[in-house]
Amino acid sequence: MKKQNFFVLLASVMLVAMNLASCKMSNKPAAETSRIGDIPEAAQYIVGLEKFDSVIDYSQAANWLDVPAALVKDGTLDGTVADSLKAVDVFYIYPTVTGFRPETEVCDMTDSMMIAGAQMVRRVQTGVFDESCNVFMPYYRQISMPKPGSDYRAIIDYVSGFDATDALDYFLNNLNQGRPFIIAGHSQGASVVIALLENYMTKHPEALKRMIAAYPIGFAVTKDWLAKTGLKFAEGATDTGVIVSWNTEGPANLKEKNMTLAPGGISINPINWKRDDTYASTKENLGSLTFDGKLVTPGFADARVDTVRGSVVVTTIDKPELYVIPADGAEMFGPQSYHLHDYGFFFNNFKQNVADRIKAFMSK
């Protein structure tokens, strides 16, 4: 399997056929002075960082993969028209969909692989939020896959200060209109969410009070990071204002390198919502998505937290070759990584948890 094709799978979470799409994006004029500033050493090899001098105009609907249709008028967003909206929003950042490329690069807003992959994520992965939330999903100029061994956290901490921060700021100040909200993402999107929580949300406590939960799934949230930011990790199924995260792998991965993990990383069990190693069987799984996107109930994935490694271990996949990271990504994720299915294995439990945390927040 070609490396490029592998990360289209990462975006879609399933091996589902997709048609490439095109989309017009609107940019504000380039900034008069560079926004790039001092590029950290970890990011200096990335091609195209100068693209971030062109500021994306997030008042334009074309620069969002999804916003509630009621807010769109003649291609421009009007957040004050909110009568038909749900009571809660979700702001979602999609995973890496731009693949392995000859050089790690910042994609363009017109990148056809990014657009198509992000659209597939919207059709499949973000379904966990559809029943409970208004979905706000911006396009952003993500990076293609980094070199193995790169300081990925430092890279994302830097690049998240551009499009993702602009989109979140516009969402909170112009579209959200004071509603409670969730922030979520997967993989690169989860890493971006972690950076946004530290660099933006902690500096806006008035908005942080309205955050029901953050779901940065598929990238490590560490104890050191929690201590540094003062943010709290979830202890159960219904606490609010917390971080909820996990990284999924099989038992054959437990002694292998996995770029989604980090020393001191934490995962919660996405079936029983426990932080310890209490086992959750498939009987407790309310529904899983198969590799080709079909919902199976009850679900076919079990779950146990490896509290030392900081991952969720799944042992019940009959044909793991259909679900693991393909060989071209094994160097970075390990041979039995279920990273592609962090959402899908626990789809209905995840969807129920979103509803449960919203209910708990609203009943305060």
Side-chain angles (χ1 to χ4, degrees):
M1 177 176 290
K2 293 182 179 180
K3 289 182 177 180
Q4 189 181 53
N5 290 338
F6 158 55
F7 275 96
V8 174
L9 296 182
L10 180 59
S12 64
V13 193
M14 310 299 153
L15 297 172
V16 185
M18 72 180 179
N19 296 318
L20 293 178
S22 61
C23 183
K24 275 191 173 180
M25 300 296 168
S26 301
N27 292 349
K28 288 181 180 177
E32 293 183 4
T33 58
S34 175
R35 300 199 303 165
I36 296 174
D38 294 329
I39 301 172
E41 183 177 354
Q44 287 178 1
Y45 74 92
I46 297 172
V47 175
L49 291 172
E50 70 280 357
K51 294 175 183 178
F52 290 126
D53 273 339
S54 174
V55 182
I56 304 304
D57 184 358
Y58 284 107
S59 71
Q60 298 303 300
N63 292 327
W64 294 79
L65 190 155
D66 199 8
V67 290
L71 305 187
V72 182
K73 182 178 181 181
D74 297 327
T76 301
L77 299 180
D78 181 0
T80 63
V81 185
D83 292 343
S84 62
L85 300 189
K86 298 181 178 73
V88 172
D89 297 339
V90 61
F91 178 87
Y92 181 86
I93 303 291
Y94 49 82
T96 304
V97 294
T98 44
F100 282 106
R101 298 188 175 186
E103 295 180 290
T104 303
E105 65 179 24
V106 178
C107 74
D108 294 307
M109 286 289 273
T110 53
D111 189 296
S112 60
M113 177 175 282
M114 182 195 75
I115 293 167
Q119 289 173 345
M120 179 58 73
V121 170
R122 177 66 188 99
R123 290 195 291 272
V124 179
Q125 196 175 72
T126 59
V128 295
F129 303 109
D130 280 338
E131 292 182 10
S132 299
C133 305
N134 311 301
V135 177
F136 291 82
M137 190 170 172
Y139 284 109
Y140 72 104
R141 291 169 292 194
Q142 63 175 207
I143 62 167
S144 56
M145 283 304 298
K147 297 175 182 177
S150 296
D151 187 345
Y152 190 66
R153 192 176 295 266
I155 291 170
I156 297 300
D157 189 70
Y158 171 65
V159 301
S160 67
F162 302 110
D163 295 356
T165 296
D166 292 344
L168 178 60
D169 186 72
Y170 191 83
F171 162 73
L172 287 173
N173 287 297
N174 298 279
L175 304 177
N176 173 249
Q177 299 296 312
R179 290 183 294 274
F181 62 92
I182 289 167
I183 301 179
H186 183 242
S187 194
Q188 181 172 166
S191 184
V192 169
V193 167
I194 290 168
L196 291 174
L197 289 167
E198 177 178 355
N199 300 325
Y200 185 95
M201 292 303 300
T202 60
K203 295 175 176 60
H204 293 81
E206 73 289 347
L208 192 59
K209 290 177 182 177
R210 292 186 284 109
M211 189 185 80
I212 295 169
Y215 290 92
I217 310 302
F219 198 78
V221 174
T222 68
K223 295 174 183 177
D224 287 346
W225 181 84
L226 292 167
K228 178 173 67 171
T229 61
L231 297 170
K232 303 297 183 184
F233 200 92
E235 297 289 344
T238 58
D239 42 349
T240 60
V242 294
I243 316 301
V244 188
S245 183
W246 61 87
N247 292 277
T248 316
E249 55 187 354
N253 225 49
L254 296 182
K255 295 183 178 180
E256 304 293 339
K257 184 185 298 184
N258 185 340
M259 71 169 289
T260 69
L261 306 181
I266 305 172
S267 280
I268 196 168
N269 190 313
I271 295 178
N272 61 24
W273 305 104
K274 294 181 182 295
R275 289 267 302 274
D276 61 20
D277 63 356
T278 302
Y279 178 71
S281 72
T282 56
K283 293 180 181 179
E284 301 170 76
N285 189 322
L286 302 178
S288 303
L289 296 178
T290 63
F291 70 94
D292 55 355
K294 296 177 182 177
L295 181 63
V296 175
T297 56
F300 51 78
D302 64 353
R304 186 195 302 272
V305 175
D306 185 316
T307 57
V308 175
R309 187 166 167 86
S311 66
V312 168
V313 183
V314 174
T315 65
T316 55
I317 307 305
D318 288 338
K319 296 181 179 180
E321 66 275 10
L322 298 177
Y323 294 91
V324 298
I325 295 282
D328 52 13
E331 179 182 359
M332 300 175 73
F333 294 89
Q336 201 174 44
S337 169
Y338 292 130
H339 181 66
L340 297 176
H341 304 280
D342 287 324
Y343 274 60
F345 277 174
F346 316 107
F347 189 86
N348 274 357
N349 293 76
F350 193 170
K351 181 169 69 172
Q352 183 62 54
N353 187 248
V354 170
D356 290 344
R357 291 191 197 275
I358 290 173
K359 182 179 180 181
F361 185 91
M362 294 300 199
S363 65
K364 287 183 177 181

